[in-house]
Amino acid sequence: MTDIIHAFLDTILPSDQTLGVPSGASLDITRPTSRDGIEQRLADVATLIDQTAHDLLESDFVTLSSEDRLKIIEKAKRKDMRLMTAMIIHCLRHYYTDPRVLRCLPAGAVPPFPVGNQMAEDDWSILEPVYQRGPVYREVTP
Amino acid sequence: MEPVDVVIVGSGASGAAAAWSLSRNPSLKILCLEQGERTDPANYPTTTAAWELSRLGDASSNPQQRNGPGDYPIDDSTSPISIANFNGFGGSTILYSGHFPRMHPSDFATHTLDGVGDDWPFTYADLEPYFTLNEKMMGVAGLVGDPAYPEYDALLPPVPLGPMGRRVAEAFNTLGWHWWPSYSAVNTRSHGGRAPCINLGPCNTGCSQGAKASVDVTYWPSALQQGVTVLTGHTVQTIEHDADKRVSGVHVVTPDGNRVFQPARIVVLACGGVGTPRLLLNSKSPAFPDGLLNDHDQVGRNLMLHPLAFTEAVFDEDLQSSLGPHGCCILSQEFYETDTTRDFKRGYTMQILRGAPPAETAVSAYMSRRLPIGPDHHPAFSKLFNHTAGIAVITEDLPEPENRIELDPETQDATGMPGIKVHYRVSENTKKMLAHGIDKSRQVLEAAGGKVTTAFAPVRHTGWHLMGTTRMGTDPRKSVVKPNGQAHAIDNLFIVDSSIFTTSGAVNPVATAQALTLKICDNLQDYLRQAS
Ligand SMILES: Cc1cc2nc3c(=O)[nH]c(=O)nc-3n(C[C@H](O)[C@H](O)[C@H](O)COP(=O)(O)OP(=O)(O)OC[C@H]3O[C@@H](n4cnc5c(N)ncnc54)[C@H](O)[C@@H]3O)c2cc1C
Ligand code: SF4
């Protein structure tokens, strides 16, 4: 099952040389939410995509090319939309909260505190047209 | 338990302001009872890179999802808008964004001006000194001189617009519409012994820096120093009154499950817009068989929630839109006041929000089929993340008796106190306002060069602003408290939170709610002097 899930993660979130982001397969997606039954859902996803690969391409999911794996994942989604969508969302959430991924994004400083981002100085002359119009609120006379 | 002069129920935005204000009188013995627990800023989700995940659990603004020690069941399944809050020391300000605009002068006279809602029993000018005092206590960033308001005294320097804010501001200028840098309860420099903001962004899961003005770090330290006692994990289940219709104290469940009676000369309620009516409705007696102060069937009615529309656009350039605090970056009140050429009364605020953080960007784009998985994922993601601008339209919600909360006999919290049921529908007037707001949001985002990808209303998980359920007025048949926050039916019972708003305005409520609390507490000091 581990091999299937790794292949699944590497297919949906492959590494990208240009951006320097790692493959989804390098993350431990089971750890943070192990209390919400993720192990069972991972097993169900592994069974579903491997079975679909056998049914359609008569092959193990892990031995397929990444193009074929993606096609199989799409077919599996059609078989069990709820399970597959929930798993893909789970993977996206964990991928985009991993410090290694965040550091590759133009997301500024990454927690933990106290690292932060500079507060830039603004030029408020951009408000000139707003000032010029004068008051826009309604006066209320008692 | 030892008798006290004042018991305050609830430690949130209004409970904290009340505790500080009343404890300036050193002769008063004041106790605050809070059903939730203390949070520890050193352990806020923002201290980890995975902070976004906490929004699905402990730091969710949905009490049903969070299911924390102070939470109670809320059945809002038939309402298009679900209730959001936080039940712990500091109340919902722990999670709030810190948008801090005041209500407008016209908000206090909707009936006189527009023939809708009701007039407040006082004016903006009456509240003005309290707005100013409260802004000093909380620490509010912004810019004085906004033509949408009477003059402000002083504010901390505004939070920078950032490239996205600047781009949208230019579009407002092109259209000739009002805009202004947001009023934000965020320290842009050190203030009140608190550090400045470090511009990271995850304010809605609690600010570990102490730069966002949640009341645990603003009013509470001074109130505690002035001698107020706070007991967390203490749920007030009912309020007791005597034969003379005077409150004698409250019945409390302690953290170890004991039931005790807390005697008090005065009871001040600050349990929030659904918590306050819940406690009153649960306090039944032969004199008030339908709940305390409910002799005219007004408690729980006129719930106002500020239905919200959301429009988002994607830009070709990286506008660094996700950087910076949440309570930002621009507001526009071009469509705030009634315009007789439109098909609705009253109006709305447009709030230009920071772009979504990475995980939220990925999930919402995947769900709306704008983000593929596979080899095309990363290039598509980098065209979305930090490239978006969103506009929230906050509409004025007018009071309607049918919009209400009731006790839910089917559910109970951990202490056995009933949960609540929410009955709410969006009015025709509001629906028209939401449609107008979406149209105008589209216009401004397109003028800024964005491509609108999302536009809908009402947004379900946005019942953050809970108002009107024990409204203030002069007629005891149509309101629950007098203009000074004192209950019509019981002399020594006061309500100080946004439950008593007569109408809702179209701005985030805390600036007005806390100013109102401070005003009521000044009157309460007079009442106490006379009583003694
Ligand atoms: C995610 C989020 C974002 C928001 N953003 C903004 C914003 O940007 N600007 C703005 O103005 N507003 C915002 N709000 C709304 C704002 O936080 C609330 O309007 C405000 O905190 C209400 O103050 P309150 O004192 O009435 O209630 P709360 O702050 O909710 O405090 C009530 C307290 O009473 C306690 N309590 C209730 N019943 C009992 C009982 N029976 N016994 C003991 N204790 C009890 C509760 O546990 C709670 O701690 C936001 C809210 C949320 C949830
Ligand atoms: S952006 Fe500023 S206010 Fe928000 S959590 Fe960070 S330090 Fe606090």
Side-chain angles (χ1 to χ4, degrees), chain A residues 14 96 106 117 122 126 133 136, chain B residues 147 160-161 198 334 377-378 386:
Chain A
Y96 284 107
N117 300 305
D122 262 314
I126 188 176
R133 260 180 78 194
V136 293
Chain B
L161 295 175
I198 55 168
E334 180 67 24
H377 175 83
H378 295 298
N386 270 341

Side-chain angles (χ1 to χ4, degrees), chain A residues 11-16 19 21-22 32-33 35 70 73-74 77 81 84-85 88-89 92-99 102 105-124 126-131 133-140 142, chain B residues 46-53 56 104-106 109 113-114 143-145 147-150 158-162 166 169-170 173 176-181 197-200 208-209 318 323 334 337-338 346 358-359 362-363 366-367 373-375 377-379 381-382 385-386:
Chain A
T11 308
I12 64 169
L13 293 164
S15 63
D16 186 307
L19 293 168
V21 286
T33 49
R35 64 187 158 119
L70 195 57
I73 290 168
E74 291 301 338
K77 250 168 78 180
M81 185 62 93
M84 292 301 288
T85 305
I88 290 167
I89 285 174
L92 288 172
R93 282 203 178 108
H94 285 277
Y95 188 75
Y96 284 107
T97 48
D98 188 287
L102 293 180
L105 303 178
V110 171
F113 279 73
V115 182
N117 300 305
Q118 185 80 27
M119 279 251 186
E121 286 289 318
D122 262 314
D123 170 9
W124 296 109
I126 188 176
L127 277 166
E128 206 44 44
V130 188
Y131 279 116
R133 260 180 78 194
V136 293
Y137 68 90
R138 239 158 133 191
E139 290 285 1
V140 182
Chain B
T46 41
T47 56
T48 72
W51 64 271
E52 269 198 81
L53 297 177
L56 306 167
H104 284 218
S106 73
L113 294 174
D114 300 319
L143 203 61
V144 293
Y149 282 100
V159 178
L161 295 175
R166 187 155 283 269
E170 280 159 2
N173 281 348
W177 292 353
H178 169 268
W179 69 275
W180 205 254
C197 172
I198 55 168
N199 212 19
L200 264 179
S208 345
Q209 175 79 349
D318 181 343
L323 297 191
E334 180 67 24
E337 306 288 357
T338 297
R346 308 296 301 155
V363 170
Y366 176 74
M367 290 301 282
I373 49 172
H377 175 83
H378 295 298
F381 180 81
S382 48
F385 177 60
N386 270 341

